[in-house]
Amino acid sequence: RKEVEQDPGPFNVPEGATVAFNCTYSNSASQSFFWYRQDCRKEPKLLMSVYSSGNEDGRFTAQLNRASQYISLLIRDSKLSDSATYLCVVILTDSWGKLQFGAGTQVVVTP
Amino acid sequence: GAVVSQHPSRVICKSGTSVKIECRSLDFQATTMFWYRQFPKQSLMLMATSNEGSKATYEQGVEKDKFLINHASLTLSTLTVTSAHPEDSSFYICSARVERGAREQYFGPGTRLTVT
């Protein structure tokens, strides 16, 4: 079983619509959670950290559910520029800061 | 913000040759650098963790004699793929962390290696 699992998509979203997707993690010792964004053939870039109480950054909202071991990302008012692959990233408590990546969820925003 | 560079961005080499990839932190000192590999439509897989001045720690299944990592200074780490084969063709990305307790890592732009 993979440490971090994501629905690969693609999620085809009309411009202006809302899209949400989850990521599940298998290790209950996971301590830190992030969403990264990766454009085609580019390096991942940090989108936002995910905090226990949930957090929002503009049109992006992240939630953490420790009981069910998943995190979610919601994008409101989707823009064409939001088209990308969104990577779920987890750090284990004792992993010396090693990031565990999900394979990513592809989002395609259409005009 | 923190900037990490990689060189080269793209390299094509013949099977059996060695390739060196450089990762530099441009505006900060990185105590730890990480090397990842990503195959198409797959997640980034950590290959090794490199601390300045010490030997790299390799993940299970990664051959340390094939993937040589040197972290000689706080701003430079190198990955050398020795005796490259076509199956080593991949996207290699480094990341750097400013300090031990820091959660965030800054990624280089990646190096696309093609072995013919």
Side-chain angles (χ1 to χ4, degrees):
Chain A
R1 184 183 173 188
K2 293 180 182 176
E3 294 278 354
V4 181
E5 296 210 50
Q6 293 183 250
D7 182 338
F11 284 66
N12 294 297
V13 187
E15 195 175 6
T18 296
V19 61
F21 42 88
N22 294 339
C23 159
T24 58
Y25 59 94
S26 62
N27 195 322
S28 59
S30 300
Q31 178 185 48
S32 301
F33 308 88
F34 306 89
W35 283 105
Y36 276 74
R37 170 195 169 125
Q38 186 174 28
D39 293 296
C40 188
R41 294 175 176 265
K42 301 283 187 181
E43 78 277 20
K45 293 190 176 174
L46 180 64
L47 179 67
M48 59 194 302
S49 299
V50 185
Y51 300 114
S52 297
S53 55
N55 49 298
E56 199 172 292
D57 183 359
R59 298 181 292 107
F60 298 86
T61 301
Q63 298 276 359
L64 167 63
N65 185 317
R66 283 193 185 274
S68 300
Q69 295 185 198
Y70 73 86
I71 66 172
S72 64
L73 181 67
L74 182 145
I75 307 173
R76 284 188 306 278
D77 188 23
S78 298
K79 311 291 184 191
L80 295 177
S81 57
D82 294 332
S83 297
T85 297
Y86 291 84
L87 306 176
C88 171
V89 179
V90 171
I91 299 180
L92 299 180
T93 301
D94 60 351
S95 69
W96 303 88
K98 294 190 296 188
L99 305 184
Q100 303 268 1
F101 282 85
T105 295
Q106 186 183 10
V107 172
V108 179
V109 182
T110 55
Chain B
V3 178
V4 176
S5 71
Q6 270 185 252
H7 177 80
S9 58
R10 185 183 298 266
V11 59
I12 300 173
C13 71
K14 291 188 177 180
S15 188
T17 61
S18 295
V19 175
K20 180 186 280 188
I21 302 170
E22 292 187 349
C23 175
R24 293 182 186 271
S25 56
L26 297 186
D27 52 359
F28 67 101
Q29 292 185 326
T31 56
T32 305
M33 288 183 169
F34 301 85
W35 285 96
Y36 296 85
R37 179 167 55 181
Q38 186 179 33
F39 293 106
K41 297 192 181 295
Q42 294 187 26
S43 60
L44 274 76
M45 295 300 296
L46 180 65
M47 299 175 67
T49 302
S50 170
N51 290 300
E52 185 265 339
S54 62
K55 289 184 179 179
T57 302
Y58 290 81
E59 294 300 299
Q60 193 171 11
V62 178
E63 300 174 57
K64 60 182 179 182
D65 294 331
K66 180 171 180 63
F67 299 98
L68 303 179
I69 291 172
N70 184 284
H71 192 164
S73 77
L74 286 171
T75 59
L76 173 65
S77 177
T78 60
L79 167 67
T80 302
V81 183
T82 62
S83 187
H85 289 100
E87 57 265 31
D88 298 324
S89 298
S90 187
F91 191 43
Y92 291 85
I93 305 177
C94 71
S95 71
R97 190 173 65 191
V98 174
E99 57 187 23
R100 196 179 195 85
R103 300 193 314 162
E104 292 182 18
Q105 296 181 16
Y106 301 94
F107 285 85
T111 296
R112 191 160 298 282
L113 170 64
T114 303
V115 184
T116 59

